[in-house]
Amino acid sequence: MIRVPPPHRDSLLGGLRSPVYLRWQGGLQVFWLVALIQAPLAVKGFDWDWMAPTLISIPVYLVCYVSVYVAPLSRLPFNAAMITLLGFTLWPVNPVSVGYVVIGVTLLAYARRARVWLLGTLVATVVTQVWVMLFHVPQVHVFVVFGVSLAAGFSNFLYVRGARRDAELRLSQAEVRRLATLAERERIGRDLHDLLGHTLSLITLKSELARRLALADPARAQQEMEEVERVARHTLAEVRSAVTGLRAGDLASELVSARLMLEASGIALHTELPDGFDLPQATEATLSLVLREAVTNIHRHSRATEAHVVISRKGQDFAMRITDNGCGGLAAHGNGVSGMRERMRQIGGRLAIDSPPKQGTVLSIDVPCHADRMERIA
């Protein structure tokens, strides 16, 4: 079994993270080799004059073709040119090798610069015209080489340009998330230092003082330890408050994360928001978690191209509507949905799902005003 080497980091597949389209196209084009042998066999019959060079050309073609995808991009023009040259060399004995010429030129469209492909198309067309005069090749082959190389190459060029932009976008989004995470870690570190630095120093000093006074002045030592206990309890309350704040969700931040996740997977997110949320902290945290679960479901299962999040508020009544144009069929009682329903029940809200097969999914979330009042009373 032939084993294809893993793609180089700077290769076509490596740079674009091996998109399925390129793999499918690469595998499909290899099958034209059947026609390379079958067509002249049906017209001319078996003859080693054309069969031998044709068989020799196949492994050379396969090595160059695979190298176009897995070798560094700097070598792509060379490998594509070798395929084109192979076609012109074999053409006098096997006219079907014009496929080598066309494939080689269209592969040049994957190079970093379009002028490499355009120049290759021009050179291949001129050489084909020379072959017409030298080997009595039909004139129509000139137009075939020029037209197919131009049309198929243009398709390849547009695809790979879009794929490269998507790859760059994914890298930039990953960098944004990395920097945001780094900034958040630094902020947490500063907050913890400000919160605990002075307090822990105070506890250390009073503990040392109590140790020294334990024998000389037990009453004073006991007083110092009571002070240490008071400061420690106060600090513990502050730490718990800070951790609760870190865990609390933020709808605005969650919407930013949702946009990054969906756009990275090719799903456009449209949002409609009120001027301000002004929600109780626990309610907003719960809604953020529900939004995160819904967006994760869209990302993983929906196969959608668009999603919408509409948030509205009338007085104290809050509503959030999350829709997509995907495959639908979301189970009304799956683990993720059950978790969302449970979260909504905890804050007195309601969640409704409408997900007919092949018609997208609609999640309607309502938090009535009495839920806010109950939370404030609690």
Side-chain angles (χ1 to χ4, degrees), residues 30 118 121 142 175 239 242 261 287 293 313 315 345 353 368 373:
V30 171
L118 295 175
T121 301
V142 177
E175 181 66 12
V239 169
M261 173 184 288
L287 291 171
E293 179 67 27
R313 187 160 189 175
R345 278 196 294 268
I353 299 176
R373 288 198 296 268

Side-chain angles (χ1 to χ4, degrees), residues 1-30:
M1 182 177 179
I2 299 175
R3 188 173 182 180
V4 178
H8 190 274
R9 286 185 59 187
D10 188 38
S11 66
L12 193 61
L13 289 180
L16 302 181
R17 298 192 178 182
S18 302
V20 176
Y21 171 83
L22 289 181
R23 293 180 178 272
W24 174 84
Q25 185 190 56
L28 184 63
Q29 289 192 7
V30 171

Side-chain angles (χ1 to χ4, degrees), residues 8-285:
H8 190 274
R9 286 185 59 187
D10 188 38
S11 66
L12 193 61
L13 289 180
L16 302 181
R17 298 192 178 182
S18 302
V20 176
Y21 171 83
L22 289 181
R23 293 180 178 272
W24 174 84
Q25 185 190 56
L28 184 63
Q29 289 192 7
V30 171
F31 285 101
W32 89 274
L33 294 174
V34 176
L36 183 67
I37 296 177
Q38 187 63 36
L41 190 63
V43 175
K44 298 181 180 181
F46 181 82
D47 189 340
W48 282 113
D49 288 343
W50 67 265
M51 178 64 81
T54 299
L55 292 177
I56 294 173
S57 73
I58 291 176
V60 178
Y61 163 73
L62 290 176
V63 170
C64 293
Y65 190 83
V66 171
S67 297
V68 165
Y69 290 92
V70 302
L73 275 174
S74 59
R75 292 169 55 187
L76 188 150
F78 171 79
N79 290 309
M82 286 297 296
I83 295 174
T84 304
L85 181 61
L86 189 65
F88 282 119
T89 304
L90 187 62
W91 200 335
V93 296
N94 187 347
V96 184
S97 66
V98 65
Y100 280 150
V101 176
V102 172
I103 290 175
V105 175
T106 55
L107 288 175
L108 286 173
Y110 288 141
R112 287 191 175 97
R113 297 179 180 177
R115 63 186 181 189
V116 175
W117 152 60
L118 295 175
L119 180 61
T121 301
L122 179 61
V123 172
T125 303
V126 171
V127 175
T128 303
Q129 182 63 53
V130 174
W131 256 232
V132 168
M133 295 183 292
L134 292 179
F135 302 105
H136 306 291
V137 174
Q139 182 69 37
V140 69
H141 283 189
V142 177
F143 300 101
V144 170
V145 170
F146 178 77
V148 176
S149 298
L150 205 61
F154 186 65
S155 175
N156 286 349
F157 171 74
L158 289 181
Y159 168 77
V160 79
R161 185 178 67 170
R164 282 177 179 141
R165 287 180 176 176
D166 289 344
E168 291 172 357
L169 178 61
R170 287 195 297 269
L171 287 174
S172 64
Q173 289 173 343
E175 181 66 12
V176 168
R177 288 193 290 270
R178 187 188 70 81
L179 293 175
T181 301
L182 181 60
E184 183 67 9
R185 287 175 179 172
E186 292 177 349
R187 184 189 68 81
I188 293 172
R190 289 194 301 270
D191 290 348
L192 289 176
H193 179 271
D194 295 342
L195 180 64
L196 298 177
H198 173 74
T199 303
L200 291 178
S201 297
L202 179 61
I203 291 175
T204 301
L205 290 174
K206 285 188 170 293
S207 298
E208 291 177 349
L209 178 59
R211 178 175 57 82
R212 290 196 298 268
L213 294 173
L215 297 178
D217 191 350
R220 175 72 186 280
Q222 181 179 0
Q223 181 181 354
E224 292 295 338
M225 291 306 300
E226 290 175 352
E227 185 69 15
V228 167
E229 180 183 2
R230 185 188 67 79
V231 172
R233 290 184 181 279
H234 177 71
T235 303
L236 179 60
E238 288 186 333
V239 169
R240 285 174 175 171
S241 177
V243 170
T244 301
L246 290 175
R247 289 177 178 173
D250 181 343
L251 267 178
S253 299
E254 200 60 47
L255 284 170
V256 174
S257 298
R259 184 180 300 279
L260 287 172
M261 173 184 288
L262 294 180
E263 289 184 352
S265 54
I267 303 174
L269 177 63
H270 308 281
T271 58
E272 295 181 22
L273 310 174
D275 293 336
F277 299 128
D278 191 25
L279 291 169
Q281 187 179 59
T283 299
E284 185 169 2

